[in-house]
Amino acid sequence: MPPAPAPAPAMDHSQMDHSKMDHGGMAAGTHMMPAALGAFPASREASGTSWQPDLERHDGLHSMAGDWMLMGHANLQLVYSDQGGPRGASKGFLAGMVMGMAQREIGRTRLQLRAMLSPEPLMGKSGYPLLLASGETADGVTQLTDRQHPHDLFMELSASLSVPIGARSSAFVYLGLPGEPAFGPPAFMHRAAILDSPEAPISHHWLDSTHITYGVATIGLVQGNWKLEASRFSGREPDQFRYDIEAPTFDSTAARLSWNPIPQLSLQASWAFLRSPEQLEPQTDQTRLSASALVTIPFGTEGRWSSTLAWGQRRAHEPGEDRHPLNAGVIESSLRFDAPWTLFARGEVTENDELLPNPGDVHGDPFTVGKVSLGVIRDVRFGQSRVIGIGVQAARSFVPAGLDAAYGGDRWGGMAFVRLKIG
Ligand SMILES: [Cu+2]
């Protein structure tokens, strides 16, 4: 592994070199747009208001329109999933996202608007087969188990304002309908270590399922390499109607402390209390905790070795009774070479009480289950900013004896996919 390049210097807005910007045209680049929330490298910003290592790659097509800086990015995947065993199934579907950002200064205030759309409602309300995944509902009556729910058409419609309050400090406000509250690591489709995988993590509802929340208001303070933020948000997960915008309730709270001690590393710890998150169990509230470390080691010209180590815990509060806490652990890593190969891998363990529910209940006994997956993508580049990749991925699911009858023992699942990346 070659030595990492020197850390990117923290930029303040006045140092931004706009001369490289192709006015009116589109250019692929990294540091064309300043950070939305403060005086630090834009590459630090990930989904919602979350952080990743400063040395992470920041893709996108950039251009100017008057005083506005614009950025666009798309990652669309046509996937065929085949999951083995009695609870498995196979299906072809379209996943991914299209994102647009606009940013400008108004006096000393920086305004950023962000919109993110997903093609996933097209896959149908029951989502796609994915062994050991659970959460949300297809029809408002039954829980989706061993299937990943489709994401909503509107994944994010947000605005943020930040004001400098010192040389390296700022205060910010972020509003989203939908948006992502201050909880967990960046959402998996934006998490550098695994964003190339078409497979959702089975730890989604521990760590990052709040990434689409209908109503988020976050305030935060940035001081150098630290960020402290708190959100009021709507606790309820998205319902089975994936094309609408749901009414916000702002009945839940989250807080997160983030720290990028060196340019290769991003750490966070967060807490959330969710009021009635599950549609099928409206009387139940939930507390979640998470901690994560994201590591990025650059190599070559644009190559990155990116990894995630994360832990999440959720605890359900039923009227008069707290169920025991359920934990999830994740380790992810990807090697993105300059061209044309990408390798990615993930290992997960979750304690899940939704896989074998008691009659008339969403929950049953908790089981500790695991999954290990490995994938590879071969890319072909068209022009400066369009990439088509072909990939395959295989995953082994591990279940304890109590689930052997349901799953037929440990099982293989696999995916083949074609993806289009723009920007
Ligand atoms: Cu999700």
Side-chain angles (χ1 to χ4, degrees), residues 109-369:
T109 305
R110 181 158 295 276
L111 165 67
Q112 180 169 281
L113 307 174
R114 187 156 60 189
M116 206 187 317
L117 302 180
S118 164
E120 295 188 12
L122 294 171
M123 73 172 70
K125 286 182 173 180
S126 62
Y128 64 85
L130 185 66
L131 288 177
L132 302 179
S134 69
E136 303 195 14
T137 174
D139 53 8
V141 183
T142 48
Q143 164 106 346
L144 282 170
T145 305
D146 299 299
R147 300 188 76 86
Q148 166 64 33
H149 62 78
H151 287 103
D152 288 46
L153 168 65
F154 297 106
M155 293 214 288
E156 184 173 10
L157 295 170
S158 74
S160 68
L161 289 169
S162 73
V163 214
I165 50 174
R168 296 195 65 209
S169 52
S170 59
F172 68 85
V173 181
Y174 165 94
L175 299 167
L177 184 69
E180 184 180 313
F183 180 79
F188 71 89
M189 62 269 284
H190 306 277
R191 206 152 69 221
I194 205 67
L195 57 75
D196 289 293
S197 172
E199 180 191 52
I202 60 171
S203 55
H204 194 35
H205 287 262
W206 280 254
L207 282 175
D208 54 355
S209 64
T210 47
H211 68 116
I212 303 179
T213 292
Y214 284 98
V216 179
T218 302
I219 52 168
L221 278 175
V222 176
Q223 168 60 53
N225 297 322
W226 293 85
K227 170 167 57 73
L228 180 63
E229 56 193 323
S231 302
R232 270 304 264 184
F233 66 100
S234 308
R236 178 59 57 86
E237 294 174 334
D239 63 19
Q240 69 272 29
F241 306 104
R242 302 290 178 179
Y243 291 97
D244 62 348
I245 290 187
E246 298 168 37
T249 55
F250 293 104
D251 52 5
S252 302
T253 310
R256 177 168 58 192
L257 181 64
S258 306
W259 183 33
N260 281 22
I262 51 171
Q264 293 85 353
L265 183 60
S266 184
L267 306 170
Q268 70 83 27
S270 47
W271 162 90
F273 178 80
L274 293 88
R275 184 72 72 191
S276 185
E278 293 183 31
Q279 189 180 344
L280 303 182
E281 221 186 13
Q283 74 284 6
T284 303
D285 301 327
Q286 219 179 79
T287 305
R288 292 186 189 179
L289 296 171
S290 88
S292 62
L294 276 57
V295 183
T296 300
I297 312 280
F299 62 88
T301 331
E302 278 293 308
R304 292 290 187 281
W305 177 28
S306 306
S307 305
T308 308
L309 187 63
W311 162 80
Q313 185 187 80
R314 63 184 214 199
R315 179 166 210 169
H317 311 291
E318 289 179 345
E321 184 204 352
D322 282 353
R323 280 203 299 267
H324 37 231
L326 300 173
N327 294 282
V330 183
I331 182 163
E332 299 164 336
S333 201
S334 69
L335 274 170
R336 283 166 293 159
F337 297 94
D338 290 339
W341 296 97
T342 301
L343 292 171
F344 57 86
R346 173 161 56 204
E348 291 173 282
V349 175
T350 66
E351 293 173 335
N352 193 328
D353 64 2
E354 296 174 347
L355 298 173
L356 210 57
N358 295 322
D361 195 352
V362 183
H363 300 269
D365 291 332
F367 291 99
T368 302
V369 297

